[in-house]
């Protein structure tokens, strides 16, 4: 074998390696990729057993915008950030199995309590307990700013998915990619005024209940039983135990939970005003903006909560897009019921 040829090959390989390494360093320095992004795209997640985990360990708190936000964090501090957003009436425990799995392959996983949940608190007693979608989305952008995170992958359901949709539509520079359960959930007060067929209206029964003072008082008094009923209706085939429910139900003891929840549903029907500072955002959302960031939408085959058909929203995603149906009796709380499918979607969309 020719010695000179071997030496040349080695030198060329060395130059290619050094060039690739330099490019990766430069890309990381300029925010083009996360430090662990290349490895994450090729790393296979470990098997995830639903219910294997019950806690996150000590939570963190940070002042962000009008809130002091409570959140769980896992994974390397320099990992590519993933923000997981829960819905109503759920909490961060929806991601208790997803989080360690994503952290194990190098992601920095952040799971904040939304306003009105868990350890998240308003910084001022004078701040309006606003539940309108724009306010919740701004909370998460403020949360990112407080943590000095410029861009993250979002994965979410229910209120959380609506929040992620808003950020992806209006602040795409902050959203690398998205996993959205039940697809495109951006709405407006105007669209909320349109009557639906009777069966669809029936599925929103609690929205009308909350429109009354009787409903507000009922939720205040029976929020534990109310949330458990919603869990059963939304996930009719999910056999969660009392311990699983009670871990999440503790988050509803937040002093602002009822006020924020009631305002959200009254706002949707045009029965409550929002705050003027969010008017411009809401006007943009009322146009049903297209989401350009890469997205995977998920749906459980046994989702008992109101949700649109995938064919109704596919064209609202103009970037690389994929829809996945998760089978085996999976309901509304998809990340907790099917953590493997949810986590795999996060890794997949991060590689789009």
């Amino acid at each position: 074998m020719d010695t000179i040829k071997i030496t040349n090959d080695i030198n060329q390989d060395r130059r290619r390696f050094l060039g690739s390494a330099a490019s990766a360093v430069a890309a990381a320095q300029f925010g083009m990729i996360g430090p662990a992004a290349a490895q994450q795209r090729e790393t296979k997640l470990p098997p995830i057993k639903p219910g294997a985990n019950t806690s996150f360990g000590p939570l963190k708190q940070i002042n962000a915008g009008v809130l002091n936000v409570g959140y769980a964090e896992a994974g390397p501090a320099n990992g590519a950030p993933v923000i997981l957003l829960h819905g109503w009436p759920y909490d961060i425990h929806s991601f208790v199995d997803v989080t360690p799995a994503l952290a194990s392959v190098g992601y920095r996983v952040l799971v904040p309590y939304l306003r009105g949940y868990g350890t998240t608190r308003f910084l001022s007693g004078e701040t309006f307990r606003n539940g309108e979608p724009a306010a919740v989305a701004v909370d998460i952008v403020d949360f990112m700013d407080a943590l000095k995170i410029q861009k993250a992958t979002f994965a979410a359901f229910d209120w959380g998915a609506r929040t992620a949709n808003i950020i992806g539509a209006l602040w795409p520079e902050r959203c690398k990619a998205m996993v959205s359960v039940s697809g495109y959930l951006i709405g407006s007060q105007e669209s909320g005024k349109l009557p639906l067929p009777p069966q669809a209206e029936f599925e929103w029964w609690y929205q009308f209940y909350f429109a009354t003072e009787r409903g507000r008082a009922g939720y205040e008094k029976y929020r534990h039983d109310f949330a458990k009923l919603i869990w059963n209706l939304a996930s009719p085939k999910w056999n969660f135990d009392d311990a699983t429910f009670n871990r999440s139900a503790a988050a509803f003891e937040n002093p602002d939970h009822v006020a924020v929840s009631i305002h959200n549903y009254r706002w949707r029907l045009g029965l409550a005003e929002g705050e003027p500072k969010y008017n411009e955002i809401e006007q943009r959302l009322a146009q049903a903006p297209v989401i350009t960031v890469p997205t995977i939408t998920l749906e459980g085959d046994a989702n008992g909560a109101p949700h649109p058909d995938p064919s109704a929203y596919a064209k609202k995603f103009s970037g690389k897009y994929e829809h996945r149906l998760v089978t085996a009796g999976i309901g509304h709380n998809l990340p907790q019921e099917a953590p493997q499918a949810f986590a795999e979607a996060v890794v997949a969309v991060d590689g789009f």
Side-chain angles (χ1 to χ4, degrees), residues 283-313:
Q283 288 168 7
R284 294 171 66 190
L285 295 175
Q287 303 303 311
V290 170
I291 295 173
T292 61
V293 303
T295 301
I296 290 177
T297 56
L298 299 176
E299 191 59 82
D301 64 340
N303 185 0
H307 61 279
D309 186 272
S311 63
Y313 55 69

Side-chain angles (χ1 to χ4, degrees), residues 77-145:
N78 66 342
V82 172
I83 298 177
L84 308 177
L85 301 174
H86 67 83
W88 174 93
Y90 303 91
D91 85 321
I92 63 174
H93 287 87
S94 292
F95 306 104
V96 73
D97 293 315
V98 170
T99 297
L102 292 176
S104 73
V105 294
Y107 288 100
R108 180 188 182 189
V109 187
L110 301 137
V111 196
Y113 278 115
L114 301 185
R115 56 169 61 195
Y117 293 82
T119 60
T120 291
R121 296 289 187 274
F122 286 89
L123 294 173
S124 171
E126 302 302 314
T127 303
F128 178 49
R129 273 41 179 174
N130 187 348
E132 69 178 294
V136 181
V138 170
D139 288 345
I140 300 305
V141 174
D142 288 339
F143 175 68
M144 295 175 70
D145 289 343

Side-chain angles (χ1 to χ4, degrees), residues 143-285:
F143 175 68
M144 295 175 70
D145 289 343
L147 291 171
K148 296 180 172 55
I149 295 172
Q150 175 58 35
K151 181 177 285 192
T153 294
F154 288 88
F157 74 108
D158 199 85
W159 284 28
R162 182 174 295 107
T163 301
N165 288 176
I166 292 171
I167 295 172
L170 301 190
W171 298 285
E173 71 279 5
R174 310 303 299 269
C175 181
K176 180 184 179 185
M178 181 192 314
V179 173
S180 181
V181 176
S182 296
Y184 185 91
L185 298 177
I186 294 175
S188 67
Q189 285 188 317
E190 286 304 310
S191 63
K193 293 176 182 178
L194 300 175
L196 301 173
Q199 181 61 39
E201 297 282 20
F202 173 74
E203 292 174 354
W204 284 109
W205 65 271
Y206 53 88
Q207 184 169 240
F208 302 107
Y209 180 63
F210 287 165
T212 68
E213 280 307 299
R214 176 187 172 94
R216 186 206 60 76
Y219 191 54
E220 178 75 57
K221 183 176 181 179
Y222 298 110
R223 71 184 83 173
H224 184 281
D225 294 342
F226 196 103
K228 196 167 191 177
L229 173 61
I230 295 295
W231 279 37
N232 281 310
L233 293 174
S235 299
K237 297 185 179 181
W238 182 30
N239 295 316
F240 59 88
D241 57 23
D242 287 342
T244 297
F245 174 75
N246 290 335
R247 277 190 290 272
S248 289
F252 314 147
E253 297 305 315
N254 181 295
D256 303 304
H257 177 73
V258 173
V260 170
S261 298
I262 296 298
H263 181 264
N264 175 280
Y265 287 104
R266 289 183 179 180
W267 182 91
R268 293 194 202 187
L269 293 177
L271 302 176
E273 294 297 322
E275 292 179 86
K277 65 180 178 179
Y278 300 116
N279 286 351
E280 182 181 353
I281 295 174
E282 296 294 0
Q283 288 168 7
R284 294 171 66 190
L285 295 175

